[in-house]
Amino acid sequence: MQGKTTDKRGEILDAAKAAFAERGFARARIADIARKISMGHGTFYRYFNNKLDIFFSVLDGIFADIARVVADEDPSSTNSLEEYRGQILRVGRRLYGMFLADDRLAQIIFYEAPGVDPELDRRMDEVSAAINRYTEAYLQNGIQKGFLRRGLDARILAKAVDAMIFAGLRDLSASRDKEREAERWLDAVCTLMLEGMGTGRNNA
Amino acid sequence: MQGKTTDKRGEILDAAKAAFAERGFARARIADIARKISMGHGTFYRYFNNKLDIFFSVLDGIFADIARVVADEDPSSTNSLEEYRGQILRVGRRLYGMFLADDRLAQIIFYEAPGVDPELDRRMDEVSAAINRYTEAYLQNGIQKGFLRRGLDARILAKAVDAMIFAGLRDLSASRDKEREAERWLDAVCTLMLEGMGTGRNNA
Amino acid sequence: MQGKTTDKRGEILDAAKAAFAERGFARARIADIARKISMGHGTFYRYFNNKLDIFFSVLDGIFADIARVVADEDPSSTNSLEEYRGQILRVGRRLYGMFLADDRLAQIIFYEAPGVDPELDRRMDEVSAAINRYTEAYLQNGIQKGFLRRGLDARILAKAVDAMIFAGLRDLSASRDKEREAERWLDAVCTLMLEGMGTGRNNA
Amino acid sequence: MQGKTTDKRGEILDAAKAAFAERGFARARIADIARKISMGHGTFYRYFNNKLDIFFSVLDGIFADIARVVADEDPSSTNSLEEYRGQILRVGRRLYGMFLADDRLAQIIFYEAPGVDPELDRRMDEVSAAINRYTEAYLQNGIQKGFLRRGLDARILAKAVDAMIFAGLRDLSASRDKEREAERWLDAVCTLMLEGMGTGRNNA
DNA sequence: GATGAATGAGATTTCATTCAT
DNA sequence: TATGAATGAAATCTCATTCAT
């Protein structure tokens, strides 16, 4: 659409993403970002207002990517535990695939972004909350359809489930055999969600 | 033990904990910390080598507190799901109580510490891993004792469970009725761990 | 004369005059000037060498306007105090009229130009000196013709008189009823020049 | 009173006064000021908030010096033209003496301060106005006592007189034999104020 | 031990100017 | 001739750390 301008902006964003992932917000220098793409560092300021501005932009991009994956499924479309499990795995695999494809995402989201700026912390919490609401809608659907138990604390459970999924994303970035580890995580999350770990024999 | 020195060191640590929680590592100034306890900021360097040093010390203190709570129970002491649930709740309540008693813990652990220093990130991951191992021991005990299902991916599930518990700690800091919210979190985590959310009727 | 080029140059000069009056030399940006006339800011450099160059040009224009007004009268044409007063008022009214018609002149001359560049300061002093010499010629004429007292320190008095006239110009830019204020200034200057403020009764 | 601190602050102020007089506000660098007194440039910021802050401080000092000279006489103490002339000469000589003793004053006041900052321009105008009011009080006293003519436009004339005095100050800084030139200026100003330049024979 | 004045490395940001198109 | 994207010099300001007292 905007041709070159967009390309350059995208180029800078990508270099910044790398710089922030490598060094964190405080230690990454504008000059580093510029050097990565052989650009005068003054040029940076033609595309972004300041350092915080581009950090927000990098994160907005990541948030948008996550939102796209999460919002791609319809919470009310599943009618059984089995279908639900399938849906979880589908979303999970796409999400995990996205993070596997780009190491920098986990680094930035989990390590570099927190604490940089109060407004950014707020925005991250907002994104979390939005995802939580989405997950809660899935749970409500399951309760309504009868394949999830009545009386579940859907609001809290949604947060708990999301926390597990994101813990997996974080854990992955430190793993060797990432694909296999991802599968194990998705499997474990499904297990906990649907069946728990108990034998059912609640006798002692 | 060491009399005054220890007191002063503790005083500085406490002021630093507050400063780091309020402003984050980068924005907290050594002079701020000193001013909080009416101390010349030069004196700071008699007790700590540098800014990063005290940040590590603050976090070591928090880690130790957490470890004390976590390690207070014996993983092999439970023999039934019911006992296990009791144990989870006991540990959980102490952990949640600790974070409820001091807002700064969650702020520092979840928002301010990540990304400050690679070595610190490593150490936090280490602490996480230690807790994970502990949790895994609980799970292994349950499997052995037969009240948790065979074939569970204990390593991953331990991480997933811990992630939920820590997500609750983070969530709490933003809540109003913290005590009640804490109970809901513990309840939800127990539910997922032991029973999952499914109705068991896996018919579709 | 030179057609389009001259027009464009004039357009730029006018935009620059406005920009310098509004923001001062340091804060006015070349891009501002260009934007005012919907011109690419690179084009600026086809007409002027650099920022200082156009500032000099703006001031040269103002100096030329002033010179035209001042030099319009013949210092030796007056033969009486009354004629001299008339001449002062004529020149004064044209000068004040010029500054009243364009607020930017006073702003630039009195507030923005000083201190920008040593060479420019020198040039302004030169213009002042030229005006002073002109005024001195008037005084010398009056002394010769006998309607000004012998023994006057014409060189200094010329500067003093010019200082008053320019103080009026500066003062005007802050006034409400500028026309009326201008008349009061001219009147006051004439009074001081020709009669002073004393009652003549130099008894004590 | 405050011992060393005051000394250092004074030292910095003096170095800054020199730097601003030599290079002007924009071109003077904080590092220059610091180097002049063999001080680390970071130290500067222990005594002044920023560059503009010290410029204001330098000017406040100059304003205070001027005010002290101007306010040292009582406007209502003179009863005759002769006494008034004496008073003008006394104040004038002190003022001129002050500027003769320190070249930098005229340079800063007349060349470097204007246009640096709108607030500063306002403050300079305020100082001017205060001096004008003082002068006006002298004139009103003279009118009341009868040694200045009734019907004079005291407000404007006060400004005109002050303009001459300050023009002399400015002119002095470019002169060779400054003492002699100062006397000529004071003499000329007195002449214009009290007697004007006319022969009195307003016949043609 | 305690203090706080002094230090200077270091990074952001601005904007006049250039130059390829 | 006109354009505006790109450039990088330059200077402010912060604050952890040192060290003389």
Side-chain angles (χ1 to χ4, degrees):
Chain A
M1 303 269 180
Q2 294 157 288
K4 277 223 165 154
T5 298
T6 300
D7 287 345
K8 178 76 106 181
R9 216 187 119 91
E11 227 187 326
I12 298 174
L13 271 169
D14 196 63
K17 199 190 272 190
F20 289 136
E22 283 161 25
R23 320 212 57 204
F25 179 78
R27 274 185 303 274
R29 285 171 268 125
I30 296 297
D32 293 338
I33 297 173
R35 201 174 314 110
K36 269 180 202 285
I37 53 176
S38 307
M39 175 187 82
H41 67 273
T43 308
F44 171 88
Y45 291 92
R46 291 187 57 73
Y47 294 90
F48 297 93
N49 294 324
N50 52 46
K51 198 181 172 186
L52 203 51
D53 182 30
I54 198 176
F55 196 57
F56 271 77
S57 296
V58 165
L59 281 158
D60 280 344
I62 298 177
F63 294 157
D65 289 344
I66 294 175
R68 211 170 304 120
V69 167
V70 170
D72 203 40
E73 297 270 337
D74 175 4
S76 63
S77 67
T78 49
N79 296 300
S80 72
L81 216 48
E82 215 36 59
E83 278 178 35
Y84 184 32
R85 170 186 287 265
Q87 198 173 41
I88 295 168
L89 290 175
R90 245 186 344 266
V91 172
R93 279 184 189 129
R94 258 183 298 145
L95 200 56
Y96 279 50
M98 190 176 111
F99 275 66
L100 285 182
D102 189 349
D103 271 351
R104 306 169 304 178
L105 302 186
Q107 186 64 30
I108 291 175
I109 291 275
F110 298 120
Y111 294 94
E112 309 306 349
V116 163
D117 178 83
E119 163 62 15
L120 183 57
D121 285 343
R122 207 187 52 69
R123 214 182 282 195
M124 288 188 72
D125 286 347
E126 223 167 56
V127 170
S128 282
I131 296 174
N132 293 157
R133 280 192 299 273
Y134 221 84
T135 301
E136 192 181 342
Y138 281 97
L139 301 188
Q140 297 291 11
N141 173 68
I143 294 168
Q144 223 166 31
K145 299 275 175 67
F147 60 83
L148 295 184
R149 290 202 307 282
R150 298 183 170 281
L152 293 173
D153 190 340
R155 181 164 67 76
I156 300 291
L157 284 163
K159 290 181 181 183
V161 166
D162 290 340
M164 290 193 288
I165 292 173
F166 277 88
L169 289 174
R170 178 181 218 146
D171 195 48
L172 243 52
S173 65
S175 307
R176 293 302 170 94
D177 187 352
K178 293 178 201 283
E179 267 81 11
R180 173 152 173 59
E181 200 78 356
E183 277 306 311
R184 286 177 66 177
W185 265 98
L186 290 174
D187 210 55
V189 170
C190 283
T191 297
L192 277 185
M193 284 179 69
L194 306 182
E195 305 148 46
M197 298 185 291
T199 46
R201 288 174 287 127
N202 201 8
N203 57 344
Chain B
M1 307 271 177
Q2 295 157 284
K4 276 224 165 156
T5 299
T6 301
D7 287 345
K8 178 79 105 179
R9 218 187 119 90
E11 233 189 320
I12 298 175
L13 272 169
D14 196 62
K17 197 191 275 189
F20 289 136
E22 284 161 22
R23 321 211 56 205
F25 180 78
R27 277 185 300 272
R29 286 174 259 120
I30 296 295
D32 291 340
I33 297 171
R35 200 175 313 113
K36 270 180 202 283
I37 54 175
S38 307
M39 177 188 79
H41 66 273
T43 310
F44 170 88
Y45 290 90
R46 298 210 154 273
Y47 296 90
F48 297 93
N49 295 323
N50 53 45
K51 196 181 174 185
L52 205 51
D53 181 29
I54 197 177
F55 196 56
F56 271 79
S57 296
V58 164
L59 280 158
D60 280 344
I62 297 176
F63 294 157
D65 289 345
I66 294 174
R68 209 169 306 121
V69 166
V70 170
D72 202 41
E73 298 269 339
D74 174 3
S76 63
S77 68
T78 50
N79 296 299
S80 73
L81 215 49
E82 213 39 57
E83 280 178 31
Y84 185 32
R85 170 186 286 265
Q87 199 172 42
I88 294 169
L89 289 175
R90 250 190 334 271
V91 172
R93 281 184 188 129
R94 259 183 297 145
L95 200 56
Y96 279 48
M98 190 178 111
F99 275 67
L100 286 182
D102 190 350
D103 272 351
R104 303 170 307 179
L105 302 185
Q107 186 66 29
I108 291 175
I109 292 275
F110 298 120
Y111 293 94
E112 309 306 349
V116 163
D117 179 82
E119 163 63 15
L120 183 58
D121 286 343
R122 210 187 50 69
R123 212 182 284 195
M124 288 188 73
D125 286 346
E126 222 167 57
V127 170
S128 281
I131 296 174
N132 293 157
R133 281 192 299 274
Y134 221 84
T135 302
E136 192 181 341
Y138 282 96
L139 301 187
Q140 295 291 10
N141 173 68
I143 292 168
Q144 223 164 33
K145 300 276 175 66
F147 60 83
L148 294 185
R149 290 203 306 281
R150 298 181 171 282
L152 292 174
D153 188 342
R155 182 165 66 76
I156 300 291
L157 284 164
K159 290 182 180 182
V161 166
D162 290 341
M164 289 193 287
I165 292 172
F166 278 87
L169 289 174
R170 177 182 220 147
D171 196 49
L172 243 52
S173 66
S175 306
R176 293 301 168 97
D177 187 350
K178 292 178 202 283
E179 268 82 10
R180 174 153 170 58
E181 200 78 355
E183 278 305 311
R184 287 177 66 176
W185 265 98
L186 290 174
D187 209 57
V189 170
C190 282
T191 297
L192 276 186
M193 286 179 67
L194 306 183
E195 305 149 47
M197 298 185 291
T199 47
R201 289 175 287 126
N202 201 8
N203 58 341
Chain C
M1 305 269 179
Q2 295 157 284
K4 277 222 164 156
T5 299
T6 300
D7 286 344
K8 178 78 106 178
R9 217 187 119 91
E11 232 188 322
I12 298 175
L13 272 170
D14 197 62
K17 197 189 276 189
F20 289 136
E22 284 161 23
R23 319 212 58 205
F25 179 78
R27 278 185 299 272
R29 288 174 257 121
I30 295 296
D32 292 339
I33 297 172
R35 201 176 312 113
K36 269 179 203 282
I37 53 175
S38 307
M39 176 188 81
H41 67 271
T43 310
F44 170 88
Y45 290 89
R46 300 211 152 273
Y47 296 90
F48 297 93
N49 295 323
N50 53 44
K51 197 183 175 184
L52 205 51
D53 181 29
I54 197 176
F55 196 56
F56 272 79
S57 296
V58 164
L59 280 158
D60 280 344
I62 298 176
F63 293 157
D65 288 345
I66 294 174
R68 210 171 304 121
V69 167
V70 171
D72 202 42
E73 298 269 337
D74 174 4
S76 62
S77 68
T78 49
N79 296 298
S80 72
L81 216 48
E82 215 36 59
E83 280 177 34
Y84 185 32
R85 170 186 286 264
Q87 197 172 43
I88 295 168
L89 290 175
R90 250 189 335 270
V91 173
R93 281 185 187 127
R94 258 183 296 146
L95 200 56
Y96 279 48
M98 191 177 112
F99 275 67
L100 286 182
D102 190 350
D103 272 351
R104 305 170 303 181
L105 303 185
Q107 186 65 31
I108 292 176
I109 292 275
F110 298 119
Y111 293 94
E112 309 306 350
V116 162
D117 179 84
E119 164 62 15
L120 183 58
D121 285 344
R122 210 186 49 70
R123 211 182 284 197
M124 287 187 75
D125 286 347
E126 222 166 56
V127 170
S128 281
I131 296 173
N132 294 156
R133 281 192 297 275
Y134 221 83
T135 303
E136 192 182 339
Y138 282 96
L139 300 188
Q140 295 291 10
N141 173 67
I143 292 167
Q144 225 165 31
K145 300 278 175 67
F147 61 82
L148 295 184
R149 290 203 305 281
R150 297 180 172 282
L152 292 173
D153 189 341
R155 182 165 66 77
I156 301 291
L157 284 164
K159 290 181 180 180
V161 165
D162 290 340
M164 289 192 288
I165 292 172
F166 277 88
L169 289 174
R170 177 181 219 148
D171 195 49
L172 244 52
S173 66
S175 307
R176 293 303 169 95
D177 187 350
K178 293 178 201 283
E179 267 84 10
R180 174 154 171 58
E181 200 78 355
E183 279 304 312
R184 286 177 67 176
W185 264 98
L186 290 174
D187 210 55
V189 170
C190 282
T191 297
L192 276 184
M193 285 180 68
L194 306 182
E195 304 149 48
M197 298 185 290
T199 47
R201 287 174 288 125
N202 202 6
N203 59 341
Chain D
M1 306 269 180
Q2 293 158 284
K4 277 224 165 151
T5 300
T6 300
D7 287 343
K8 179 75 107 181
R9 216 188 119 92
E11 228 187 326
I12 298 174
L13 271 170
D14 198 62
K17 200 190 271 190
F20 290 136
E22 283 160 25
R23 321 211 57 204
F25 180 78
R27 273 185 305 273
R29 283 172 269 125
I30 296 297
D32 293 338
I33 297 172
R35 202 175 313 112
K36 268 180 203 285
I37 54 176
S38 308
M39 176 187 82
H41 67 273
T43 308
F44 171 87
Y45 291 92
R46 291 186 56 73
Y47 294 91
F48 297 93
N49 295 323
N50 53 44
K51 198 181 172 185
L52 204 51
D53 182 30
I54 198 177
F55 197 56
F56 271 77
S57 296
V58 164
L59 281 158
D60 280 344
I62 298 176
F63 294 158
D65 289 345
I66 293 174
R68 212 170 303 122
V69 167
V70 170
D72 202 40
E73 297 269 339
D74 175 4
S76 63
S77 68
T78 49
N79 295 298
S80 72
L81 216 48
E82 215 36 58
E83 279 177 35
Y84 184 32
R85 170 186 289 263
Q87 198 173 42
I88 295 169
L89 290 175
R90 253 193 329 273
V91 172
R93 280 185 188 126
R94 259 184 296 145
L95 199 56
Y96 279 50
M98 190 177 113
F99 275 67
L100 285 182
D102 190 349
D103 272 352
R104 306 169 304 179
L105 302 186
Q107 186 64 31
I108 291 175
I109 291 274
F110 299 120
Y111 293 94
E112 309 305 350
V116 163
D117 178 83
E119 163 62 15
L120 183 57
D121 285 343
R122 208 186 51 69
R123 215 183 280 196
M124 289 187 73
D125 285 347
E126 225 167 54
V127 171
S128 282
I131 296 174
N132 293 158
R133 281 191 298 273
Y134 221 82
T135 302
E136 192 182 341
Y138 281 97
L139 301 187
Q140 296 291 9
N141 173 68
I143 293 167
Q144 224 165 28
K145 300 277 176 68
F147 59 83
L148 294 184
R149 289 203 306 281
R150 297 178 172 283
L152 292 174
D153 189 341
R155 181 166 67 76
I156 301 291
L157 284 163
K159 290 181 181 181
V161 165
D162 290 340
M164 290 192 289
I165 292 173
F166 278 87
L169 289 174
R170 178 181 219 149
D171 195 48
L172 243 53
S173 65
S175 307
R176 294 300 168 97
D177 186 352
K178 292 177 203 282
E179 267 83 11
R180 175 154 170 57
E181 199 78 355
E183 278 305 311
R184 287 177 65 177
W185 264 99
L186 289 174
D187 210 56
V189 170
C190 282
T191 297
L192 276 185
M193 285 179 69
L194 306 183
E195 304 149 45
M197 297 185 290
T199 47
R201 287 175 288 126
N202 202 8
N203 58 343

